[in-house]
Amino acid sequence: MTCLDHYMRALCTLAAVWLVPASGSTLPEPVGHVARVEGAAFVSSRGHTNAAKVGQAIIPGVALSTGAEGGLGVIMGDGSVLSFGPDSELTLDDYRFAPASDELRLRATLNRGTLNLIAGDMARLDPQAIAVETPEGRVGVRGGQVLLKVKP
Amino acid sequence: MSGTLLLAMAALAGCAQHSYVMLADDSGGRGAAVLGDEQRVLDMPGQGMAIAPGGQAFAVSDMQRKADFAKALSAQPALPERFTFHLAPSGELDAGAEQLLDSVLLAARRRDYPVVTVIGHTDTLGHRAANEQVGMRRAQRMAELLRARGLEAMELRVESHGERNLLVATPDATAEPRNRRVEVLVR
């Protein structure tokens, strides 16, 4: 009985050791997740575009977009909230929330559409941390809630 | 009456040409947007500014705000909830913790796909690297406590900000009980 127990445990440990590095090397850490989807909303990552789903992980480099009647809301690791109206597209260029190693940045590009951004802990720790590029110029968000509209 | 309407329409027509940013809420004076090379600052709630160089601040009418942003605002998800547990010098949780633990469990249960982040913090007494470890141990203990109470989350993350995320600003090497804490973010 105990022998079997030990044997099983050893097997499980082996499996865990084998599985963890394999998935760890291919999947980057999620830095946020999709929290609301209305109508046509998409997440594009590494050349693949899929319909956004609530709970879906967000990683740096993803593009978030909405169609004609679409809406999309995401929440980032520092508590920052981003939500989009129809016909919007944003690329999350860079995101890092690691106060212990002094790394604080949310860099995104809003190519078109509307963005509602509520700054999270990131902005409280470093007012320079959040910046959104647009075709007409850069907007730094020091805190609070800002609304951006980028004409196509 | 018709004058006001004309003005509102002029404002709508004038600004609809441009990409712009507006400050919807300044979060008690801490919020603001800065444009270009940070020369233009938007710090009055309700005001907007064209993003293109040279744009001046203007008041955004309710009508315009609604026309431009009603859909983006209605797509806003339930806001994250933050719970702060303070620690006694012994490292034990204080008397109010029981109720707060229940609030965390309830907040997670209210969400379809809860993501819970447990973050340990310290004051600035001691070395920075050591404090990062202390923060991590505090967070791990809290995560175990939450699991033992039956927390169900799609993702449970355990992190330490060490002495780099102070609730109360202090110089280095300062004992400050209010900075010794564990935060739980439910989103």
Side-chain angles (χ1 to χ4, degrees):
Chain A
M1 181 73 180
T2 42
C3 267
L4 191 63
D5 248 21
H6 279 277
Y7 180 66
M8 289 301 283
R9 205 169 294 165
L11 257 185
C12 288
T13 311
L14 261 176
V17 166
W18 180 69
L19 278 172
V20 168
S23 59
S25 62
T26 53
L27 284 176
E29 277 274 286
V31 296
H33 70 279
V34 174
R36 190 155 178 177
V37 174
E38 279 164 14
F42 309 93
V43 176
S44 308
S45 179
R46 301 172 171 195
H48 299 280
T49 298
N50 294 300
K53 290 189 192 70
V54 172
Q56 185 175 356
I58 300 291
I59 57 170
V62 295
L64 308 170
S65 59
T66 55
E69 295 293 320
L72 177 66
V74 304
I75 305 182
M76 307 305 293
D78 70 315
S80 289
V81 175
L82 290 82
S83 70
F84 304 89
D87 292 317
S88 303
E89 187 190 283
L90 173 134
T91 309
L92 184 66
D93 303 312
D94 194 7
Y95 183 93
R96 185 101 173 103
F97 180 61
S101 50
D102 290 331
E103 289 179 281
L104 300 162
R105 52 183 187 272
L106 190 173
R107 294 290 137 88
T109 304
L110 183 65
N111 296 306
R112 59 192 164 90
T114 50
L115 166 65
N116 162 35
L117 194 162
I118 303 173
D121 231 9
M122 183 96 85
R124 183 176 62 80
L125 293 170
D126 178 6
Q128 318 260 304
I130 304 179
V132 181
E133 296 286 344
T134 76
E136 291 181 45
R138 178 191 176 96
V139 177
V141 180
R142 293 193 175 162
Q145 179 180 21
V146 299
L147 302 168
L148 280 98
K149 179 177 185 176
V150 169
K151 300 294 276 180
Chain B
M1 176 68 190
S2 63
T4 320
L5 191 65
L6 268 175
L7 261 177
M9 283 174 70
L12 253 179
C15 303
Q17 322 295 331
H18 304 290
S19 299
Y20 75 100
V21 55
M22 85 167 277
L23 187 66
D25 186 277
D26 72 346
S27 176
R30 280 182 291 123
V34 291
L35 290 101
D37 294 330
E38 312 208 340
Q39 282 153 349
R40 290 180 293 141
V41 178
L42 189 65
D43 56 6
M44 285 279 288
Q47 289 207 322
M49 202 180 264
I51 296 170
Q56 299 292 311
F58 62 91
V60 181
S61 68
D62 283 349
M63 195 165 58
Q64 185 178 354
R65 176 193 168 123
K66 213 169 174 183
D68 286 337
F69 299 114
K71 293 213 167 122
L73 287 166
S74 77
Q76 181 180 302
L79 295 179
E81 290 173 82
R82 204 178 280 275
F83 304 89
T84 304
F85 294 81
H86 288 279
L87 304 173
S90 62
E92 296 299 307
L93 290 167
D94 68 15
E98 285 295 320
Q99 223 179 344
L100 211 51
L101 279 167
D102 287 341
S103 306
V104 171
L105 297 181
L106 195 67
R109 232 174 283 142
R110 275 199 297 264
R111 290 166 193 256
D112 292 333
Y113 297 90
V115 176
V116 177
T117 312
V118 182
I119 308 160
H121 301 279
T122 69
D123 57 23
T124 58
L125 197 65
H127 290 291
R128 181 175 166 168
N131 278 335
E132 195 178 340
Q133 289 173 8
V134 171
M136 185 53 89
R137 279 199 296 275
R138 286 177 180 167
Q140 279 163 347
R141 272 206 302 274
M142 175 63 67
E144 280 161 25
L145 207 55
L146 287 168
R147 273 194 213 103
R149 303 271 170 129
L151 173 75
E152 284 183 41
M154 182 179 78
E155 205 181 314
L156 177 61
R157 306 174 67 91
V158 182
E159 298 175 2
S160 171
H161 291 174
E163 61 174 59
R164 303 298 292 168
N165 186 348
L166 303 176
L167 189 63
V168 180
T170 72
D172 195 17
T174 306
E176 172 52 70
R178 285 172 291 177
N179 285 333
R180 292 195 287 264
R181 68 206 196 276
V182 177
E183 274 182 305
V184 179
L185 185 71
V186 180
R187 53 189 167 112

